[in-house]
Amino acid sequence: MERWSHVLAQPALQPAHLVQAARKRTLCPGNPTSMPQTARQINSGSTDIRRTILPSSKVVPMTTLENTTGATYRAWSKLPNNTIGSVVFSVGMCLRVPYFSSVLPRVVALEPGRCEVTAPKWFGIRNHLGTFHAIAACNLAEVAMGMLAEATVPTTHRWIPKSMNVQYLTKATTSLRAVAELDSVPDFGAVTDGLDIVVPVSIRDTAGVEVVHADITIWVSAASR
């Protein structure tokens, strides 16, 4: 018996099907007692998953793209963050607003409160001097403003252009880059009767010189129910 004593002292081996069942119980999401504390918190419907995973300073609002922004910004957010995504979005934009296509715009950056658009210097936008036509530059400014508004104004509100003040600062002899940017995003929850928002758009050439500056006023009001 002594020669078998070390074998008898070991835990009895369990059948394979019992071992497999035990593993399933350990990993099963429906068995909270088999989960680590963090996993149980995430699985609980009463616990905010973001507060379990993120530090309190990183908690984001419960709202989502689907109920805060329109289809335009949702489309941008779903496309890859590269040249292909930028081109696909810009083509779709021009199909929706054909007049934009005259300046061959490409949206290269878009987020609430900011939009950046480029336009090449090609034959179709030249004036009699061979430079970038002033009205073509206005069109580019409209593209930047419009996409900023689409990304900024929530679905609870609507917007429409109201006026444009344009300064032609110097001749534009190269391709252009328009940047529309707000100093801060308004509190749309407080907008009930309507609000004028001035969107400044700076248009620069490839050397970084501002050639056109536009201040476009849009009227924002609560969407009709």
Side-chain angles (χ1 to χ4, degrees), residues 26-141:
T26 302
L27 300 176
C28 178
N31 182 9
T33 59
S34 67
M35 301 179 187
Q37 179 66 20
T38 300
R40 290 203 298 274
Q41 291 174 341
I42 294 174
N43 196 53
S44 171
S46 61
T47 302
D48 187 344
I49 185 172
R50 298 159 306 133
R51 294 188 182 276
T52 304
I53 297 175
L54 300 174
S56 57
S57 62
K58 298 295 184 180
V59 173
V60 296
M62 285 296 291
T63 53
T64 64
L65 284 175
E66 282 68 19
N67 58 27
T68 59
T69 57
T72 301
Y73 188 54
R74 290 202 303 271
W76 171 268
S77 302
K78 292 177 181 179
L79 289 169
N81 185 22
N82 55 30
T83 301
I84 293 176
S86 171
V87 170
V88 169
F89 177 86
S90 301
V91 170
M93 174 187 70
C94 289
L95 290 174
R96 181 72 181 274
V97 189
Y99 186 71
F100 283 170
S101 62
S102 63
V103 295
L104 303 180
R106 183 163 76 89
V107 179
V108 296
L110 181 61
E111 61 184 84
R114 187 176 189 278
C115 179
E116 185 173 342
V117 189
T118 61
K121 183 188 176 186
W122 70 288
F123 178 78
I125 52 81
R126 294 180 184 178
N127 57 22
H128 64 289
L129 300 176
T131 60
F132 213 104
H133 198 287
I135 300 304
C138 287
N139 193 8
L140 179 60

Side-chain angles (χ1 to χ4, degrees), residues 160-165 196-199 215-219:
I160 188 171
K162 187 175 180 180
S163 65
M164 174 187 281
N165 180 26
D196 278 331
I197 299 178
V198 178
V199 180
D215 290 308
I216 306 175
T217 302
I218 62 175
W219 174 253

